[in-house]
Amino acid sequence: MKASMKAVIRSVVIIGMLMSATACVVQRDTEPTGEKEGDISLMTRESGNLVGITWYLATLNGNKVSKGQGGKPLSLLFNDEKNKASGFAGCNQFFSIFSIEQEKLTLGALAMTRKHCTKYSLLERQFTKALNETRYFDIKENQLHLSDQQQNVIAIFIQG
């Protein structure tokens, strides 16, 4: 397949993901109360708050993580107004939609910029794989723990 055709297909896929993410944003007529399950303001676990904080990746699958391109740390930010998550994956910026129900956290498909960074590609793949596998979260002592379906901790972030 020609490079130009691949670029067109990639663009169509990204546009489709963006349209899906936009269509899933929940509109509210009232302010969230935090009183019912599924309410987006139900984001506090133990002593912390998930949203509005930049979380910096400290460990991934039990291993300490180095910084990404330009010495920039890998990061994750949840925005409760738009149910959007975004961050830096080591080379590229990413964003997604998310939902929370009690301790369960689900991220939608990740949309990413497409810079080529050979040195950071493995780290970026491992990080985005962990985000895709995330099913639970917990906040302990200013640390965000993301866990997979079996509730194994796969990523630990520190509060920025």
Side-chain angles (χ1 to χ4, degrees):
M1 194 180 298
K2 291 186 178 181
S4 61
M5 184 60 135
K6 286 182 182 179
V8 169
I9 291 171
R10 187 177 320 137
S11 297
V12 169
V13 169
I14 290 171
I15 289 169
M17 288 178 0
L18 291 172
M19 291 174 69
S20 294
T22 303
C24 292
V25 173
V26 176
Q27 297 294 320
R28 293 188 188 85
D29 294 330
T30 60
E31 289 296 315
T33 63
E35 296 175 356
K36 63 183 182 201
E37 187 176 309
D39 191 329
I40 201 68
S41 67
L42 184 62
M43 293 188 192
T44 55
R45 295 271 296 142
E46 296 203 10
S47 62
N49 189 12
L50 180 67
V51 299
I53 297 167
T54 300
W55 297 97
Y56 295 106
L57 186 63
T59 64
L60 187 59
N61 298 313
N63 300 310
K64 188 176 178 180
V65 175
S66 59
K67 294 184 177 181
Q69 183 178 17
K72 189 174 174 182
L74 282 68
S75 63
L76 180 57
L77 172 67
F78 294 93
N79 180 337
D80 67 340
E81 290 181 24
K82 298 181 181 180
N83 294 16
K84 284 178 79 175
S86 60
F88 178 67
C91 177
N92 290 286
Q93 300 291 328
F94 69 88
F95 71 91
S96 178
I97 58 171
F98 72 95
S99 64
I100 292 178
E101 196 171 313
Q102 295 181 338
E103 75 278 354
K104 293 183 179 180
L105 169 65
T106 305
L107 291 162
L110 298 177
M112 298 180 69
T113 57
R114 292 289 177 199
K115 289 193 249 175
H116 179 70
C117 304
T118 305
K119 182 176 178 182
Y120 301 101
S121 62
L122 178 60
L123 176 61
E124 190 166 81
R125 278 195 311 273
Q126 291 172 339
F127 180 52
T128 55
K129 181 178 186 261
L131 292 176
N132 286 321
E133 292 176 353
T134 296
R135 296 296 177 267
Y136 297 94
F137 80 101
D138 199 7
I139 298 174
K140 298 177 184 176
E141 301 174 10
N142 297 324
Q143 290 186 343
L144 169 62
H145 295 222
L146 300 182
S147 301
D148 62 14
Q149 185 65 38
Q150 292 76 35
Q151 298 191 11
N152 299 312
V153 174
I154 53 177
I156 299 175
F157 295 80
I158 56 171
Q159 211 172 35

